Amino acid sequence: MRIVHLTPHLPPDQAANALLPYQLGEWAAARGDTVLYVAHPPRAGASAALPGDVTWVPRRQPSVWQKTVRVGSFAAAARIWRAAAPRIASADVVHIHSNGLLAEVGASIALRLGKPYVLTLYGTEIWHYQARRGLDLFTRAYRGAAAVVFYSERLLLRARELALGRFDCHVIYPPVSASFTFHDWVGQQEERLKLGISARHLIVNVKRLHPLAGQHVLIEAMGEIVREHPDARLVICGTGERLRDLQHGARAAGVERHVVFAGLVDNTMVARYCAAADLFALPSLLEALPTVAVEALAAGTPVVSSDNPGGLELNDLFGRDVEIVPRENALALADAIRAGLRDKRRTTPATGKIVSERFRADTVARQYWDVYDAIRRR
């Protein structure tokens, strides 16, 4: 089978719609399929080794003249069409990820050429959806897909609330790497020693430094946490535009020495931090299904999450291993974390079973192959 992925991101960019296309390509190449990509160059720098050949479509800012006469988008669409059309024409299955001009032009090409395509939606496409009058490329791409895959049940429910109900919708959860394995108390302490962490209490957050990630709430909460647990350390893994603001917030709150900004770390190191932590904190304002929280659970670490849709869905799945607090409520977040540090524990066997049955690579891959096979048989 010849599979063409159209995606706005690829590694080393840290985004769900970068990692999943890469993983799907690895799994497909391992079983003998041919994988091709059409993507924008990574914002994080030189691209990683990929399991298939890539046609890069540079992002270009329209000139002042193009903005004035409103031809910038048309020029970008034409550039995408020229790059993507030959690849799509050669495909047995086209897999389009997320939204934006690359995805939407790709869907138009596939429809024109009669190529079946799968559309995977990660969150923002639905959370911020607004029907438009006239030419609405996203709605057209959504309606024209042979199958649509949602990252979570709550995302699918929101689509239906927005009158985006349609046939052949699926929920396929994101995969959790095998590097995230359960660590008991002994394993946790071994990882902490390897990382050189001597603090008695370790809280970890992994997320891009973005306003919607809510790290500012977590830093505010640390002021309350260290009053009861003065030997607590917060490690934040990720980069982004909020770094300076968050560093300033830590200084202003008097917790600068309790907060470590680890920067961009690879998945192996993230797995070690998750295993070493006492709690994983996810104060995000909006999530579809936070893979980072499931990775922490897989490593044996309970999660404290805000009541964003993804956090609530994880609570539905994992029960008491995912504690829920109100969004943007630093005091409630601090209370939950302080309680968790008073009564430390590892995740339950039931959580490990759910991770194994619903989030491991073989399960996720099999679900996507079933979708691919079904649309090819039509």
Side-chain angles (χ1 to χ4, degrees), residues 223-259:
E224 297 294 327
I225 293 164
V226 298
R227 286 190 179 93
E228 180 176 338
H229 303 290
D231 196 11
R233 179 75 53 83
L234 167 63
V235 175
I236 298 175
C237 300
T239 59
E241 64 268 33
R242 291 299 306 278
L243 176 59
R244 289 186 181 275
D245 290 340
L246 294 171
Q247 289 172 330
H248 176 75
R251 286 193 297 271
V255 296
E256 184 177 17
R257 68 185 184 88
H258 297 275
V259 180

Side-chain angles (χ1 to χ4, degrees), residues 105-296:
V105 171
S108 295
I109 298 169
L111 288 169
R112 174 75 65 87
L113 297 177
K115 296 290 183 176
Y117 66 90
V118 178
L119 176 63
T120 293
L121 300 178
Y122 296 80
T124 56
E125 317 90 345
I126 298 300
W127 302 137
H128 303 303
Y129 174 79
Q130 288 185 329
R132 300 174 184 173
R133 294 181 179 179
L135 184 61
D136 185 344
L137 289 177
F138 172 74
T139 303
R140 183 171 184 262
Y142 179 85
R143 297 293 185 193
V148 177
V149 176
F150 292 86
Y151 227 49
S152 69
E153 293 283 355
R154 275 179 166 74
L155 195 61
L156 172 56
L157 177 61
R158 180 59 181 156
R160 289 172 175 161
E161 290 171 350
L162 293 167
L164 289 173
R166 48 155 291 150
F167 75 98
D168 210 357
C169 289
H170 309 261
V171 173
I172 302 178
Y173 286 135
V176 171
S177 165
S179 59
F180 294 88
T181 58
F182 180 80
H183 286 61
D184 60 14
W185 294 113
V186 173
Q188 179 201 37
Q189 294 305 313
E190 288 175 349
E191 286 295 348
R192 198 172 291 190
L193 284 172
K194 291 175 186 176
L195 290 167
I197 296 172
S198 58
R200 183 180 175 189
H201 308 294
L202 179 62
I203 306 148
V204 169
N205 169 266
V206 181
K207 204 71 184 171
R208 188 162 67 94
L209 308 184
H210 183 276
L212 288 178
Q215 286 107 343
H216 61 288
V217 181
L218 180 55
I219 288 171
E220 184 181 348
M222 282 298 291
E224 297 294 327
I225 293 164
V226 298
R227 286 190 179 93
E228 180 176 338
H229 303 290
D231 196 11
R233 179 75 53 83
L234 167 63
V235 175
I236 298 175
C237 300
T239 59
E241 64 268 33
R242 291 299 306 278
L243 176 59
R244 289 186 181 275
D245 290 340
L246 294 171
Q247 289 172 330
H248 176 75
R251 286 193 297 271
V255 296
E256 184 177 17
R257 68 185 184 88
H258 297 275
V259 180
V260 175
F261 294 93
L264 183 66
V265 299
D266 64 27
N267 219 39
T268 301
M269 187 62 72
V270 170
R272 295 178 65 186
Y273 276 122
C274 285
D278 296 304
L279 290 172
F280 185 94
L282 189 81
S284 304
L285 280 62
L286 190 60
E287 293 277 358
L289 201 293
T291 311
V292 289
V294 185
E295 289 171 342

